Amino acid sequence: MKRLTDKNINSPEEYDRIFFERAKKEVDEFDLKRWKLLLSYYRKKGRLVDLGCLDSIAPVLAKDKYPTSEVWGLDQSKEAISVMSEKYPQVHWVVGDVYNTKFPSLYFDYVIVGELLEHLEYPEKFLKEAFRILKKGGYLALSVPKDETKGEVDGDRHLWSFSIKDIRNLLDPYGKTKIRLLRSKYFPIYEYHHKNILAFTSKQ
């Protein structure tokens, strides 16, 4: 892990602003592809949560595929949760703290962590909480930009840069991890289309 910036601007107010900025645009095809890939190991009737969801429709895609499943999205942005709750009422949306989710231990079969880890001051502390709420045998599906440099993606909101080795070091203590890379034909034309690490850890 390499620290990219000392200052942390990832506040709830910042993501209220980012949410409405993103809401003005159509769903990005790269994001959509990534959300679908993050659901690769999701199975019927499993409880799922997307931590730090913001405007992610991964929970919606999961619910559409398996209507009887229990699906949640959690984020610090009150504006995002309010809009997503109104737009997609079939999903349980909740304002919360990713370091202390308030969910019971071993509650979920599937936990999504999409483009969140690089924004967090304490990635290890967060992962401890994410795996606490995940059942044994369940999957944590994670995506982060690969080997980014300062200011390369999302300005100063990214605090950390991760290599594949970094991600394995963080996840392997919790279970067996599979890694794949997601590339975009648009990078580096568009900053958000950076090469991504996708990791899937089955909790032991």
Side-chain angles (χ1 to χ4, degrees):
M1 292 167 51
K2 181 175 69 175
R3 185 82 183 203
L4 296 175
T5 182
D6 292 330
K7 187 177 180 181
N8 186 347
I9 63 171
N10 293 287
S11 65
E13 295 76 18
E14 174 69 0
Y15 282 92
D16 287 344
R17 184 185 70 80
I18 293 296
F19 175 78
F20 283 117
E21 184 178 291
R22 287 171 61 93
K24 297 174 185 176
K25 305 173 184 178
E26 297 293 325
V27 173
D28 185 276
E29 66 177 52
F30 185 71
D31 281 341
L32 184 59
K33 181 177 181 180
R34 180 172 52 81
W35 291 330
K36 289 180 176 179
L37 287 172
L38 284 170
L39 290 168
S40 295
Y41 292 89
Y42 183 55
R43 299 294 179 260
K44 187 176 181 180
K45 294 184 180 178
R47 285 196 186 111
L48 176 146
V49 63
D50 188 338
L51 297 176
C53 58
L54 197 64
D55 62 347
S56 169
I57 62 168
V60 180
L61 297 173
K63 186 68 175 178
D64 287 348
K65 187 172 183 179
Y66 301 121
T68 62
S69 59
E70 181 182 328
V71 179
W72 294 76
L74 180 147
D75 200 87
Q76 65 175 339
S77 168
K78 292 180 180 179
E79 297 295 343
I81 294 302
S82 176
V83 172
M84 297 298 275
S85 295
E86 185 174 346
K87 193 172 182 179
Y88 304 108
Q90 67 272 37
V91 172
H92 302 285
W93 304 96
V94 61
V95 177
D97 178 358
V98 296
Y99 295 112
N100 184 16
T101 64
K102 307 296 186 182
F103 291 117
S105 296
L106 309 177
Y107 189 72
F108 290 101
D109 300 278
Y110 209 87
V111 174
I112 294 177
V113 183
E115 307 302 287
L116 172 67
L117 206 64
E118 64 273 18
H119 296 270
L120 297 178
E121 191 69 46
Y122 308 108
E124 296 95 337
K125 179 181 177 182
F126 161 72
L127 287 172
K128 184 177 180 180
E129 171 68 2
F131 280 102
R132 180 189 69 80
I133 64 175
L134 182 64
K135 294 178 182 178
K136 291 183 179 179
Y139 275 92
L140 181 138
L142 177 149
S143 68
V144 294
K146 180 181 183 292
D147 296 322
E148 67 174 296
T149 58
K150 180 175 171 57
E152 189 177 13
V153 185
D154 209 16
D156 288 333
R157 284 183 290 275
H158 286 195
L159 306 181
W160 300 98
S161 174
F162 298 97
S163 67
I164 291 176
K165 183 178 179 181
D166 293 331
I167 293 300
R168 286 203 175 277
N169 287 342
L170 288 168
L171 297 180
D172 282 352
Y174 295 100
K176 185 176 180 181
T177 299
K178 300 177 182 179
I179 298 281
R180 65 174 295 177
L181 294 181
L182 175 61
R183 297 174 174 86
S184 170
K185 63 183 179 181
Y186 297 111
F187 182 77
I189 300 172
Y190 302 117
E191 62 175 349
Y192 290 103
H193 293 182
H194 194 80
K195 186 183 298 181
N196 274 209
I197 301 169
L198 273 71
F200 303 89
T201 301
S202 177
K203 182 180 175 182
Q204 292 179 343

